Amino acid sequence: MTFTNQRILPAARKVKDLEKLMKLSYEHIVILDTHISQISSIVQLAKSHGKKPLLHADLIEGLKNDEYAAEYLCQVVKPAGIVSTRAGVIAKTKQNGLLAIQRLFLLDTNALEKSYAMFKRTQPDYIEVLPGVIPHMITEVSERTGIPVFAGGLIRTVNDVEQAIAAGASAVTTSNVELWKHFEQKE
């Protein structure tokens, strides 16, 4: 799966933002903060509007973020993919044939090295690098892992998006509605 035609992966935090997304032309969207009782209806709403929703499993209230939860999401909710920091969730997502996006928080060199070792084991489809405003780290993670990278977190301006893409990000995840609108016109 490629995101070459979609530089922005709009991420909805609230229902009102999700409603805005339904009117935009983006195919892939990210669903962030939600509740277990809402997740199936949200995914169905997105699909009914021709969207391919990516669920952030770590941010679903009322659902423990483990392999069993991933199995439930994959087999019952059926999003296009799952975003998580957890290796077990990524493995289960891949096992179920969905898009697996593993989040990487850039904390320090030691944590980064441990993450590189984990990526060798989990082999996610994409790595989301946070914060996404450190271009040389986007380049390093992409080159060192050979796995396509998304940039996310602290992306606030058009320039931030363009620098992340220039550094090698396949796409940029953002909950900034103004950036959704700006880049939708160009995609």
Side-chain angles (χ1 to χ4, degrees):
M1 184 175 293
T2 179
F3 291 87
T4 55
N5 295 326
Q6 189 174 327
R7 294 190 302 167
I8 293 289
L9 287 173
R13 288 199 175 279
K14 302 173 187 153
V15 174
K16 68 176 186 157
D17 290 336
L18 187 64
E19 291 169 355
K20 290 175 188 173
L21 267 180
M22 295 304 108
K23 298 173 185 170
L24 300 177
S25 63
Y26 293 106
E27 181 179 24
H28 292 89
I29 63 171
V30 180
I31 299 170
L32 298 173
D33 307 316
T34 188
H35 188 277
I36 189 171
S37 66
Q38 302 168 326
I39 201 65
S40 288
S41 60
I42 287 173
V43 167
Q44 289 311 313
L45 173 68
K47 287 181 172 183
S48 74
H49 283 84
K51 309 297 183 194
K52 294 182 179 176
L54 307 170
L55 293 180
H56 194 306
D58 302 5
L59 300 177
I60 300 172
E61 292 293 329
L63 186 68
K64 183 177 179 183
N65 187 24
D66 62 11
E67 293 82 3
Y68 299 107
E71 190 80 30
Y72 168 78
L73 292 173
C74 292
Q75 294 186 8
V76 176
V77 179
K78 300 179 182 176
I82 293 178
V83 180
S84 180
T85 57
R86 300 184 48 109
V89 171
I90 295 301
K92 188 58 72 174
T93 300
K94 287 185 66 79
Q95 185 180 58
N96 278 276
L98 298 184
L99 190 65
I101 303 160
Q102 193 155 13
R103 269 191 156 186
L104 164 63
F105 289 99
L106 298 172
L107 301 174
D108 59 26
T109 301
N110 187 44
L112 181 61
E113 291 303 320
K114 287 181 180 179
S115 294
Y116 285 141
M118 179 178 55
F119 297 144
K120 285 183 182 177
R121 291 189 315 274
T122 59
Q123 287 296 301
D125 297 303
Y126 289 88
I127 298 168
E128 184 183 22
V129 174
L130 292 102
V133 291
I134 309 174
H136 72 276
M137 291 307 302
I138 294 167
T139 303
E140 177 184 316
V141 171
S142 179
E143 289 175 354
R144 184 132 173 223
T145 64
I147 298 169
V149 170
F150 296 150
L154 301 177
I155 303 288
R156 296 181 177 155
T157 67
V158 169
N159 189 50
D160 291 341
V161 172
E162 291 171 348
Q163 285 185 350
I165 298 295
S170 297
V172 172
T173 59
T174 182
S175 57
N176 183 315
V177 176
E178 294 307 313
L179 291 176
W180 300 353
K181 291 176 183 175
H182 176 84
F183 284 96
E184 181 198 27
Q185 299 162 2
K186 296 180 179 184
E187 295 192 355

